[in-house]
Amino acid sequence: MADIPPAGRHGGDGPRIARALGIDPRTILDLSQSPNPFAPDVASMLAGHLDSVRRYPDTADAARELADAIGVEAERLILTNGGSEAISLAAREIGGRVSSEPEFGLHPRNPVGPIWRSDPHNPSGHLARAEESADVWDEAFYPLATGRWTAGRSGVVVGSLTKVFAFPGLRLGYIISDDVERFARHQPQWSVNSLAVSVLPELLELADLPAWAEAIATARKDLAEVFRRFGFTVEAADAPWVLVHAPGLRERLAPYGVVVRDCSSFGMPGYTRVGVPDSDGLARLESAMIRSGVEAKSG
């Protein structure tokens, strides 16, 4: 059996696992990432927008439509090349530090500066309490946890359409701020590609955040129940993933084409973060656990 490559700093290890196993990456169930399992089929929609690749991207119209959907003024929002660029632009302009550890690895770790906080918190999955404060809010998973685009707090907000619409390879994110141009000035020209910009209005028409959040909550409960049935300790909060205390689970499942996230990069060795799958994905995960030798507990 091929050696399984070590976990990277972030999720999305599916392609590396596939190469190690010598199989088609499309056959991998990659639960090391946590996009919306109920998003529309973006791939089937792209065919109608392929002509856009012959034009330089213009984000103005798409940004206005996204701002309208979120409920903010268009002049307060810019589109970015995924949530990672949104974080990078904000960190470059204002720096900052995380409120506590563990926290998402792309947030800045300076000794002083504005406070950053993911909501729901990554990796615990808990939504922020009303009394919690921060200067920069990372709401990448907020729509999937609450059914609302944003909490509408003051300060800077970074977001990720990559998570909402489940297209990590297409890349779309955003920054919301009263002085958003201070972040835009660091952005390279044509940072956001034409294909993503062209398909966004169609995606926004199909967006049903309340229904998606409800479906994810139900699927998260089902996912937690599967792990508990196998005797694992599970922490399931508000995000589209669960935390499982299961040392070595990543290595056990990978040979069966299922990838989960090792949390050592969060400073949490022995814990695994597992993205919420749809019903077919859940059945495949359960089958992989059985085939890997994990036995369900009776009673």
Side-chain angles (χ1 to χ4, degrees), residues 14-275:
R16 291 197 302 125
I17 297 293
R19 284 195 298 271
L21 298 175
I23 62 176
D24 187 335
R26 292 173 294 183
T27 67
I28 293 286
L29 175 62
D30 193 348
L31 301 180
S32 71
Q33 54 188 9
S34 303
N36 179 7
F38 305 106
D41 181 9
V42 179
S44 66
M45 298 165 60
L46 292 178
H49 299 274
L50 292 180
D51 63 313
S52 66
V53 302
R54 294 185 176 275
R55 301 187 296 271
Y56 281 100
D58 182 346
T59 63
D61 290 342
R64 279 194 295 270
E65 293 201 32
L66 177 61
D68 184 62
I70 294 176
V72 300
E73 297 85 356
E75 60 270 19
R76 297 184 61 232
L77 180 146
I78 60 169
L79 286 176
T80 62
N81 185 20
S84 59
E85 189 189 42
I87 292 169
S88 177
L89 295 175
R92 180 175 178 181
E93 174 65 18
I94 63 175
R97 55 201 169 100
V98 299
S99 58
S100 63
E101 296 287 5
E103 181 56 274
F104 183 47
L106 290 183
H107 293 173
R109 260 75 171 180
N110 299 313
V112 296
I115 299 295
W116 291 59
R117 206 276 199 193
S118 52
D119 189 23
H121 177 252
N122 189 1
S124 75
H126 289 281
L127 285 164
R129 300 184 301 274
E131 66 272 18
E132 291 188 74
S133 62
D135 302 296
V136 183
W137 290 96
D138 184 343
E139 293 185 343
F141 294 101
Y142 188 86
L144 302 181
T146 67
R148 304 187 304 275
W149 277 108
T150 181
R153 290 171 286 230
S154 61
V156 179
V157 171
V158 296
S160 174
L161 299 178
T162 296
K163 311 300 189 301
V164 174
F165 294 114
F167 51 41
L170 195 57
R171 315 301 304 148
L172 268 180
Y174 54 91
I175 300 177
I176 301 172
S177 173
D178 288 339
D179 51 354
V180 75
E181 286 303 316
R182 68 188 294 199
F183 307 109
R185 66 182 179 176
H186 299 296
Q187 190 174 35
Q189 187 71 35
W190 307 306
S191 174
V192 182
N193 73 82
S194 292
L195 194 56
V197 169
S198 296
V199 78
L200 179 57
E202 186 176 347
L203 287 168
L204 290 173
E205 290 181 3
L206 297 175
D208 191 343
L209 298 186
W212 290 344
E214 182 178 357
I216 287 170
T218 299
R220 181 176 59 240
K221 180 179 179 181
D222 294 341
L223 175 62
E225 178 57 32
V226 165
F227 277 110
R228 292 187 179 115
R229 194 161 63 243
F230 282 89
F232 292 106
T233 300
V234 183
E235 299 176 24
D238 306 297
W241 66 76
V242 301
L243 287 180
V244 186
H245 188 255
L249 185 63
R250 178 179 181 273
E251 289 71 26
R252 294 186 70 168
L253 294 180
Y256 302 96
V258 176
V259 181
V260 294
R261 171 140 185 213
D262 183 289
C263 287
S264 295
S265 63
F266 285 112
M268 300 170 61
Y271 280 85
T272 301
R273 200 186 78 179
V274 184

